[in-house]
Amino acid sequence: MSENNGNLLTVNDLRTYFQTEDGVVKAVDGISFELKKGETLGIVGESGSGKSVSNLSVMRLIPEPPGKIVSGDILFDGIDVRRLSDEEVRNIRGKRIAMIFQDPMTSLNPFLKISTQLMEVTQIHLGHSREQAYDHALEMLRKVNIPAPEKRIDGYPHEFSGGMRQRVMIAMALSCEPELLIADEPTTALDVTIQAQILELIKGLRTELGTSVILITHDLGVVAGMTDKIIVMYAGKIFESAPTKELFAKPANPYTKGLLKSVPDPAHEHGEPLYQIPGLPPDVANLPPGCPFAERCDRAEEICEREFPPFVQINENHHSLCHFAKEVHASSGGE
């Protein structure tokens, strides 16, 4: 048991690599962050930036091979998750740490009734009898606003809409009242109305249960009203970390500014093209020696292509991986 300094989760210098035919892919390359009890952290970035892999590492769900957590500390409530046996991890996973996966259709077993899948969680972790587990599953479906849960509980996943399947996944994740909930793109492929309902649901349950939440998304608009602080990831690195309001008001990284500019604005001029960051994310198996974002960055200078940028401290809680972080921060003004 280690000192946790009031943090529920402390990740320090985490590196998760994958062996591929093209070489070693450094999917997560030296990230560190902390999460306090009851706090909500947003992790944002384009696809392939390392968001999901970092949290699968926390859950110890990296497939070995080809993946491997190469180094770093993952301390959950003072327990070093990396040093636990597989059985000890299984006792934490699902009970104290739960995850809502990106695609509920591939996460739910198509051959099993919803009731069976919900009951399994509490039978394993809470020792429920079959009857107790069924009643608890019914209660959880009510909690996540599934209409007529008594009729729906014995249905199969294909009989539910995308939004309803996502609610079932949330019910499953929250069945044991976990201390940490990791939501990986929980609103992907859902229409805007259902997105809002799912986010409100997570927000309400967080308030009710005091659960800490990590919300992974590529959409900065999703995390705006949901999180206390945000980490921006790119090419397996943390490019910026700051309290949510501060990051939106005065970003200190050109990549963050690009993501913020990419969020559609209701006041957008009709006929004017929407902004998008030029170019494509880099090949993480063959990263350049300098800043991985340099090729796409409108602020880049010669030093950016030659030298890897420092992690600059803007203030106590705001850091940015950029040679010109302070200048970018100074020139920002509520993008």
Side-chain angles (χ1 to χ4, degrees), residues 60-266:
R60 281 265 303 269
L61 286 173
I62 297 295
E64 294 188 30
K68 188 172 180 168
I69 300 173
V70 176
S71 65
D73 300 312
I74 303 165
L75 298 176
F76 173 70
D77 200 20
I79 302 162
D80 191 341
V81 175
R82 281 197 67 205
R83 281 163 181 74
L84 296 179
S85 68
D86 289 346
E87 190 179 343
E88 288 169 326
V89 171
R90 280 194 293 270
N91 289 335
I92 289 177
R93 194 193 298 140
K95 185 178 183 183
R96 299 187 67 193
I97 307 175
M99 190 163 183
I100 304 166
F101 293 94
Q102 199 167 122
D103 181 4
M105 198 58 204
T106 54
S107 304
L108 292 167
N109 188 323
F111 299 106
L112 295 178
K113 291 177 181 177
I114 293 298
S115 55
T116 306
Q117 299 186 59
L118 281 166
M119 288 162 65
E120 184 182 36
V121 180
T122 56
Q123 284 177 307
I124 289 171
H125 290 299
L126 302 181
H128 278 182
S129 66
R130 190 172 171 74
E131 194 178 322
Q132 286 173 317
Y134 192 87
D135 290 343
H136 188 274
L138 203 52
E139 181 54 38
M140 289 308 297
L141 291 184
R142 282 195 198 99
K143 198 169 267 191
V144 297
N145 302 323
I146 296 273
E150 298 84 358
K151 293 177 183 171
R152 305 302 301 271
I153 189 167
D154 289 317
Y156 289 88
H158 71 270
E159 298 175 305
F160 287 69
S161 68
M164 288 298 160
R165 283 196 293 266
Q166 196 60 285
R167 287 169 192 269
V168 171
M169 287 295 298
I170 293 170
M172 197 180 291
L174 293 170
S175 284
C176 299
E177 299 192 1
E179 293 147 72
L180 172 60
L181 175 67
I182 299 171
D184 188 359
E185 303 269 14
T187 58
T188 296
L190 300 178
D191 64 58
V192 178
T193 313
I194 305 297
Q195 267 194 31
Q197 290 173 4
I198 295 291
L199 292 173
E200 277 305 310
L201 181 60
I202 293 172
K203 209 172 180 180
L205 292 167
R206 181 195 73 186
T207 307
E208 185 188 329
L209 302 174
T211 309
S212 300
V213 178
I214 295 176
L215 181 60
I216 306 166
T217 180
H218 58 269
D219 186 349
L220 270 162
V222 166
V223 294
M226 284 282 294
T227 57
D228 301 301
K229 58 187 183 185
I230 293 176
I231 284 170
V232 179
M233 286 191 72
Y234 186 78
K237 300 273 188 189
I238 291 177
F239 259 50
E240 186 162 10
S241 64
T244 303
K245 284 182 182 171
E246 190 172 334
L247 186 116
F248 273 82
K250 284 188 79 69
N253 194 288
Y255 178 57
T256 308
K257 290 183 86 167
L259 289 176
L260 287 166
K261 264 176 96 173
S262 303
V263 176
D265 184 350

